[in-house]
Amino acid sequence: MKLLFLSPLLASVYGLAAFAALASCRTGGATSWQTSPVHVEDRAGYAQTLATNPVMVGADPHAVVVGGRVWLYPTHHLPGVPGFHAFSSSDLRRWEDHGPVLKFADVDWIDDDGEAVHYPWAPALAEKGGKFYLYYSVGPQGRTPARIGVAKGDSPRGPFKDSGRPLLTGGNGFEAIDPVVFQDPKSRKYYFYAGGSAGATLRIFELKPDMVTLGREIPVETPPKFTEGPFVHYRNGTYYLSYSHGGWRSSSYSSHYATSNTPYGPWRYRGAILTSDAAHKGPGHHSIFRGAGPDKWFIAYHRWNGAQGDGPYSGHRQVAIEPLEHERDGSLRPVKMTDVVPEWRPTAQGN
């Protein structure tokens, strides 16, 4: 393995002051990244070796567990190669980059809007019947509306082949961004959620069985403080809709949540779960996933590490991961942002 260490100066340029080094190796076309270990004492005085948050440069992370690994799909810009990468890890410390899993150059309809430049935003993964579906946003939003596409693959590592047409196009005050798919454990139906920013409107659809076509739209009231980035999880009979609020380059950017007894509301606003602190600004656009043990949950999100003031911030956002705890009454405990990656193991089912 060839180790590549970032100098403190280079790390600060990339906004990675929280970690001292990254390690990489090239094997079979994939790159592995390892956050540098930190030696600490736990409350009982036992020595532990932990890794640092954030875990990588990127934003809008969608995390899902498949086959005993956490798969992470971020907004991850590479100059001259618009598209998406998949990253995976068995411990949240060492991450393997599986290379481009979808390139905009392979999406036939990308240039149909006449824009010269397009932006890959906020991918999300869903699985059905052993096939995997990558939903993704295509900017810009301005002279022409943003669009959402979907591509299909045989593995979470891709490659993904686009369906051949946009799944949803914005307009009339709605910005088609930030897709996510949730399967209702009660009805087994798949629901598609999207929207935000321009107009700050949430829309929900049923997905047709092919997973690449929208079914009926379900009327829904946008919950309080909704700006963008919806995510849904289910626990003990309650549906949790969490989302981002505020300006993405501002300290106001934060994550909030609402609950319901259905996957489409009506939603009861419950409060914030991620807000800026002195060392970490603008946390949000998150996803939530499970780990081994009773009621073990985790949240992946992006933040501006080491930023000062209220913004606007510039540079690179970074992806961090923290434990997420449910209180006895079902509410979500506000997340304390840290500079240490939590311990994670897959469930007995590997997901």
Side-chain angles (χ1 to χ4, degrees), residues 107 109 136 148-150 162-168 210 212-214:
V107 179
W109 51 266
Y136 60 94
I148 291 173
V150 55
D162 183 72
S163 67
R165 65 186 187 280
L167 179 66
L168 183 64
D210 64 5
V212 299
T213 308
L214 295 179

Side-chain angles (χ1 to χ4, degrees), residues 7-42:
S7 69
L9 175 60
L10 185 58
S12 66
V13 168
Y14 281 90
L16 302 180
F19 43 117
L22 291 172
S24 73
C25 68
R26 175 69 62 176
T27 56
T31 300
S32 295
W33 299 96
Q34 178 174 316
T35 58
S36 61
V38 178
H39 193 71
V40 298
E41 297 281 331
D42 69 9

Side-chain angles (χ1 to χ4, degrees), residues 40-162:
V40 298
E41 297 281 331
D42 69 9
R43 292 180 181 176
Y46 295 102
Q48 300 182 39
T49 300
L50 304 176
T52 53
N53 256 334
V55 299
M56 68 179 68
V57 176
D60 314 328
H62 183 85
V64 60
V65 181
V66 181
R69 296 179 70 84
V70 177
W71 290 81
L72 192 66
Y73 302 83
T75 297
H76 185 78
H77 294 298
L78 293 177
V81 191
F84 301 99
H85 279 228
F87 300 83
S88 72
S89 175
S90 61
D91 60 7
L92 307 185
R93 288 153 171 75
R94 291 166 290 272
W95 292 89
E96 184 177 358
D97 181 357
H98 298 276
V101 295
L102 179 68
K103 298 178 183 178
F104 276 6
D106 298 327
V107 179
D108 293 339
W109 51 266
I110 282 288
D111 295 326
D112 289 352
D113 61 357
E115 295 287 352
V117 179
H118 296 94
Y119 304 106
W121 295 333
L125 191 77
E127 184 272 337
K128 181 183 180 183
K131 300 296 183 181
F132 296 85
Y133 300 85
L134 186 70
Y135 300 82
Y136 60 94
S137 313
V138 180
Q141 168 78 17
R143 188 176 65 86
T144 58
R147 297 163 291 171
I148 291 173
V150 55
K152 183 178 179 180
D154 295 325
S155 163
R157 73 178 64 236
F160 294 92
K161 182 177 176 55
D162 183 72

Side-chain angles (χ1 to χ4, degrees), residues 294-323:
D295 217 23
K296 292 290 186 181
W297 299 80
F298 298 82
I299 184 167
Y301 65 99
H302 74 238
R303 68 195 192 195
W304 300 90
N305 236 48
Q308 301 296 316
D310 293 328
Y313 310 123
S314 61
H316 297 271
R317 291 166 290 175
Q318 301 95 44
V319 174
I321 300 173
E322 314 283 2

